[in-house]
Amino acid sequence: MKSIGIAGFGTIGRVVARHIEASELPLKLAAVSAGDRCRAEAAMARLKTPVPIVDTAELVALSDVVVDSAPTAAFREIAETTLRAGKTLVTVSGAALMQWPEAADVARAHGGRLILATGALLGLDAVRAAAVGTIHSVTMVTRKPVKSLIKAEHVVRNRIDLTAITEPLKIFEGSAREGAIAFPANVNVAAALGMAGVGPERTRLEIWADPALERNTHRIVVDSDSARLELGIENIPTDENPGTGRITAQSIVAALNDLVAPIRIGT
């Protein structure tokens, strides 16, 4: 039986908790941590079996595996505490991980492990397989509804007015590394794609705000010596946070299931 702690009990964390409760696999929810304790207590009351709401250190102590679903700014503390305790961390914070290159060394030194779940992307297995050979280029075009981007740091900082646009507007073009820094809460998928393939610096990224869209969409083209991949996904946003797709939490659940399931599908 794996004891699971959830760091951040918001949109993603609550979905993961409900799936753990309903799972027939050997998983149990041990504890959660949250920045807003009152909201966390209200959400906890809706679970069949409430668990303690604790700080990061106690969460790690109570858990075999920690799920990071906290805001990006909290990633480093959660990740470092978990890895130094020799525990496993499951996260979708690719942008934050990309900016902490020492993560692998910390995990190796203390017997910890970090799993970057697929999140709102697809095809990472194929990209990783292609990277065993030679990848010539990787391009990703992200298009999101205005409501998914209007509060993004890059948009606010550069005073980009999206409220009145009537046609698609390109608001970023550059490398995946630059995009992840500019949009730390919006393009974790680009960071994950970069780390799976040719690296964030060589992965090209465009971000568009599109008033005609209702879903967060990603189109990826990978050209390699083993295959040419053209991948597309349209993610249904969550009601609570339009910038987060529903499939993101489900990808974390799938990663947890892989830790204990007798058969694993995928690389």
Side-chain angles (χ1 to χ4, degrees), residues 48-111:
K48 296 177 182 178
T49 307
V51 297
I53 301 172
V54 298
D55 61 20
T56 299
E58 188 172 359
L59 181 78
V60 172
L62 291 171
S63 308
D64 301 315
V65 179
V66 173
V67 170
D68 164 42
S69 57
T72 304
F75 169 80
R76 177 68 179 270
E77 178 194 358
I78 295 165
E80 194 157 7
T81 304
T82 303
L83 297 179
R84 288 187 181 278
K87 305 292 182 71
T88 296
L89 179 75
V90 178
T91 184
V92 290
S93 294
L97 175 59
M98 189 185 65
Q99 296 179 59
W100 186 33
E102 302 85 4
D105 293 335
V106 173
R108 189 179 298 109
H110 298 276

Side-chain angles (χ1 to χ4, degrees), residues 3 13-14 17 23 27 38 56 67 97 112 140-141 143 154 170 180 187 203 212 221 263 267:
S3 295
R14 293 194 294 269
S23 177
L27 299 169
C38 290
T56 299
V67 170
L97 175 59
M140 176 174 176
V141 178
R143 296 178 182 269
H154 178 82
K170 182 164 64 175
V187 289
T203 301
V221 177
I263 297 176
T267 301

